[in-house]
Amino acid sequence: MKMSIADHLTKNHFVQEKETQEADLLNNILNASINGVFACEAIRNEEGKIVDLRFIKVNKRFEELIGKTEKELMHQTFLTAFPAAQFLMEINSAVIETKKLIRKEVYYKGDGIDAWFDISLSALGENGLVVSFNDVTEDHRNKEKIESSLHYFQTVINSSQTGITVIEPIYKGSEIIDFRYKLVNETFSKMIEKQPQELRGQPLSKIFPLYKAQGIFDRYKQIYLTGEAQRFDLHYVKGGYDVWTDILAKKQGDEILVTFHDYTSLKLGQLKLEAMMKDLKRSNANLEDFAYAASHDLQEPLRKIHFFADKLKNRYADLYDEEGINLFRRMESATHRMRDLIDDLLAYSQIGLKPQEYEEVKLDKVVQEAISDLEAMIEEKKAHFTIDPLPVVKGDTPQLRQLFQNLISNSLKYAHSERIPFVSIRSKKISGREAGLLLPSEKLNEDFYAIDITDNGIGFDQEHAEKIFNVFQRLHSRNEYAGTGVGLAIVKKVIDNHNGYISASGVAGHGATFTILLPASLD
């Protein structure tokens, strides 16, 4: 049956109406999209190669993002409207020819556009293309900022001399079974002689097999669960590692920030010093034992020498001439000096034994007792004294008495022959910072009693101020002044036993001052 003209018109009208409805529906769908969308068909050359695209449709979002209207674009090809888009033609052609979907992020600069786009391309029919895109410039810039910040942060932590790591928990179900490295700095990597990339993502138990056995895992787990920071020392010996570290760990979000200070070299130095000190103490103890034993054991043979020499002199006195008698006198003098030396050595070895307990000592009383013991020498020299009120200190009474006795007798022994001896003992409370001595930094803010023993004797050259405290050190010959050279060494020992300090100053021919610093605290 043939169709009438009216039927044809009716059918065409129906088709056109349907196509219009489909176009409107497509248009509504495109305009409802939050992405920019445009559709094109390929323009081919005589060889069939795609050389450009012709716009079919663009949505409202496209117009907003690109700043070109659909009406403008309908009269232009793709490359005419966007000359800088030549680099996209290879992708466009590939999608049309292969019918494969492609999605990628591209940077577009030119044609008044400077932006990053996330684009999706899909084929439309046999010769067309639909492109959906979204402006992700802000996201990309933020990403760049984050990456820049991370790079800056990594640079900062890499410049730190402290080892730094960030660790995160590894779960089995709801239970934390380990931690893994998320971030490490170069200092930490060098500490354990591994590259950062070797550590990131690795469980700590793989790098340090003993970290669970040594309780470090339990510490990290407690820090993560409670949020309470911990600081602790660790000596790790395993798999070629032998290190001492000071560790500070604190929770940061869902991770733990751990800092490591490697003090291995300091610890080794400390251990070496402790071993040397132990050897030195043992050596000193042996020397003190030897000095005590030697001085004690020498007393008896020396007593016999003196006894038999005296007996020979008395029994056979008539047989000796003046020279013989003089030899006996010299022998007696030598035995007296030897006995004094033995006594001083015995006293020095006993002073080396630091008392286990100290008591409160009234220095006024101690000094008066020392002066009383030296009464005969003081009367002989006709010496005068000026003594300030003296403090109460924590110490050992016999040792402190011997200290003042030795210093006072030293002033009397080295009195000037042309003037009456004068000795003053002054006292004041000062801080370590005011002392004028080279004290350890931790002592500068502590309080001390400074006690000056000053005389008007023969003095000494200041260049000898340090060595006069050495054992057997003498500045004058034995013929000029008697003595063994042990007295000031005993003084120094007593001061050391009382955690104090002593210094000497002198002017040859004008006198000397000995300054003692004793801790003011009675605790």
Side-chain angles (χ1 to χ4, degrees):
M1 180 184 293
K2 293 184 178 180
M3 294 178 63
S4 65
I5 293 174
D7 291 334
H8 279 290
L9 290 174
T10 301
K11 183 179 179 180
N12 289 338
H13 177 75
F14 176 78
V15 171
Q16 289 175 359
E17 185 176 306
K18 185 177 180 182
E19 290 176 349
T20 301
Q21 289 175 348
E22 290 175 349
D24 289 341
L25 178 61
L26 176 61
N27 193 52
N28 290 336
I29 292 172
L30 291 177
N31 287 329
S33 174
I34 61 172
N35 293 342
V37 181
F38 66 93
C40 297
E41 64 177 351
I43 301 174
R44 300 176 183 270
N45 61 15
E46 292 179 357
E47 288 79 25
K49 181 181 179 181
I50 299 173
V51 294
D52 206 341
L53 300 171
R54 183 178 293 107
F55 286 102
I56 300 173
K57 185 66 183 175
V58 302
N59 70 348
K60 295 290 186 184
R61 183 59 177 156
F62 177 97
E63 294 179 341
E64 292 171 1
L65 290 172
I66 304 303
K68 292 180 182 287
T69 66
E70 183 180 59
K71 187 175 181 181
E72 292 178 77
L73 295 173
M74 290 304 107
H75 301 287
Q76 300 180 60
T77 66
F78 180 72
L79 292 179
T80 303
F82 303 104
Q86 180 66 53
F87 75 98
L88 292 173
M89 283 304 297
E90 184 176 344
I91 302 172
N92 296 338
S93 300
V95 172
I96 294 171
E97 300 290 12
T98 65
K99 307 298 188 274
K100 290 182 179 180
L101 177 69
I102 292 179
R103 181 175 181 178
K104 67 180 302 181
E105 195 173 273
V106 298
Y107 175 56
Y108 194 100
K109 185 172 184 180
D111 309 320
I113 302 169
D114 184 2
W116 285 87
F117 295 102
D118 178 19
I119 62 173
S120 295
L121 305 93
S122 57
L124 177 64
E126 291 297 320
N127 200 42
L129 176 72
V130 175
V131 180
S132 173
F133 64 95
N134 188 33
D135 187 337
V136 292
T137 304
E138 185 175 353
D139 291 343
H140 194 83
R141 301 291 187 221
N142 289 337
K143 182 180 176 182
E144 287 181 338
K145 288 179 182 178
I146 292 171
E147 289 176 351
S148 177
S149 296
L150 288 174
H151 177 72
Y152 176 77
F153 175 69
Q154 188 70 49
T155 301
V156 170
I157 67 168
N158 281 340
S159 66
S160 172
Q161 294 182 353
T162 300
I164 300 174
T165 70
V166 174
I167 59 176
E168 59 184 2
I170 299 174
Y171 285 91
K172 185 175 183 180
S174 60
E175 179 69 17
I176 298 175
I177 60 170
D178 207 339
F179 287 87
R180 69 166 61 89
Y181 289 110
K182 186 174 181 181
L183 181 147
V184 298
N185 74 341
E186 290 180 358
T187 303
F188 179 76
S189 300
K190 289 176 182 177
M191 281 182 185
I192 62 174
E193 298 179 346
K194 291 185 181 294
Q195 294 299 317
Q197 58 269 25
E198 294 181 73
L199 297 172
R200 295 190 193 101
Q202 293 295 327
L204 272 64
S205 58
K206 182 178 179 180
I207 306 300
F208 297 106
L210 282 184
Y211 108 106
K212 287 188 175 182
Q214 288 190 323
I216 309 305
F217 167 72
D218 291 332
R219 283 183 179 271
Y220 288 163
K221 186 176 178 181
Q222 184 181 15
I223 292 166
Y224 186 83
L225 295 176
T226 66
E228 295 178 2
Q230 290 190 30
R231 183 171 185 174
F232 54 95
D233 288 328
L234 171 66
H235 180 203
Y236 189 91
V237 183
K238 176 74 174 177
Y241 299 115
D242 186 357
V243 295
W244 279 267
T245 54
D246 175 20
I247 299 175
L248 175 62
K250 57 175 66 177
K251 189 176 181 182
Q252 300 284 349
D254 289 330
E255 300 158 344
I256 298 178
L257 173 64
V258 188
T259 59
F260 301 81
H261 176 63
D262 185 343
Y263 64 98
T264 302
S265 58
L266 183 64
K267 185 67 176 181
L268 292 175
Q270 178 188 341
L271 292 174
K272 185 177 180 180
L273 182 61
E274 287 175 355
M276 291 173 63
M277 290 294 293
K278 189 175 180 180
D279 289 342
L280 184 60
K281 285 181 179 179
R282 184 167 55 249
S283 176
N284 285 341
N286 290 339
L287 285 173
E288 288 168 359
D289 291 343
F290 170 77
Y292 179 83
S295 58
H296 187 271
D297 293 345
L298 285 172
Q299 293 278 12
E300 182 59 23
L302 185 64
R303 188 190 65 78
K304 287 183 178 179
I305 292 172
H306 181 72
F307 173 77
F308 289 126
D310 191 57
K311 210 165 189 182
L312 279 172
K313 183 182 72 172
N314 293 331
R315 180 175 297 182
Y316 303 105
D318 296 340
L319 299 178
Y320 298 118
D321 57 13
E322 186 63 29
E323 183 180 356
I325 296 297
N326 185 50
L327 288 174
F328 272 105
R329 288 196 190 108
R330 291 171 66 183
M331 190 188 323
E332 286 178 335
S333 176
T335 56
H336 282 306
R337 288 200 307 272
M338 185 66 178
R339 186 176 59 204
D340 290 342
L341 179 58
I342 290 171
D343 288 342
D344 284 346
L345 279 174
L346 186 59
Y348 183 76
S349 65
Q350 291 173 333
I351 288 293
L353 303 175
K354 189 173 181 178
Q356 294 297 315
E357 293 185 8
Y358 284 136
E359 59 185 356
E360 291 186 9
V361 180
K362 296 179 180 179
L363 293 185
D364 282 320
K365 183 180 179 182
V366 166
V367 170
Q368 289 304 322
E369 290 173 350
I371 289 175
S372 177
D373 290 341
L374 296 169
E375 183 177 1
M377 190 177 186
I378 291 171
E379 288 183 359
E380 179 189 343
K381 298 280 187 177
K382 297 181 173 53
H384 293 275
F385 287 82
T386 300
I387 304 173
D388 282 353
L390 299 176
V392 175
V393 299
K394 201 84 168 178
D396 179 74
T397 299
Q399 287 192 12
L400 290 171
R401 185 189 302 118
Q402 189 162 16
L403 178 146
F404 283 102
Q405 185 172 320
N406 283 12
L407 287 175
I408 293 170
S409 67
N410 196 72
S411 293
L412 298 175
K413 182 194 300 184
Y414 295 106
H416 200 287
S417 61
E418 297 178 2
R419 50 183 176 257
I420 294 174
F422 177 83
V423 180
S424 73
I425 302 177
R426 305 286 184 185
S427 174
K428 63 181 177 179
K429 189 176 183 180
I430 62 173
S431 71
R433 203 174 295 277
E434 300 172 282
L437 300 179
L438 189 60
L439 303 186
S441 58
E442 66 271 14
K443 298 290 185 180
L444 296 179
N445 294 321
E446 293 187 12
D447 289 331
F448 292 88
Y449 289 117
I451 302 169
D452 292 333
I453 296 92
T454 303
D455 63 56
N456 63 343
I458 64 172
F460 56 87
D461 290 329
Q462 190 60 31
E463 63 183 87
H464 303 306
E466 292 295 329
K467 66 181 183 180
I468 60 175
F469 295 106
N470 296 334
V471 181
F472 304 131
Q473 183 62 56
R474 301 173 56 89
L475 300 183
H476 307 278
S477 70
R478 189 175 289 105
N479 292 332
E480 294 178 284
Y481 296 95
T484 60
V486 179
L488 290 180
I490 290 175
V491 169
K492 181 67 168 60
K493 273 269 190 181
V494 173
I495 291 296
D496 289 344
N497 286 349
H498 287 75
N499 300 316
Y501 302 89
I502 187 169
S503 66
S505 60
V507 178
H510 294 278
T513 296
F514 289 85
T515 299
I516 298 167
L517 294 183
L518 292 174
S521 173
L522 294 177
D523 295 336

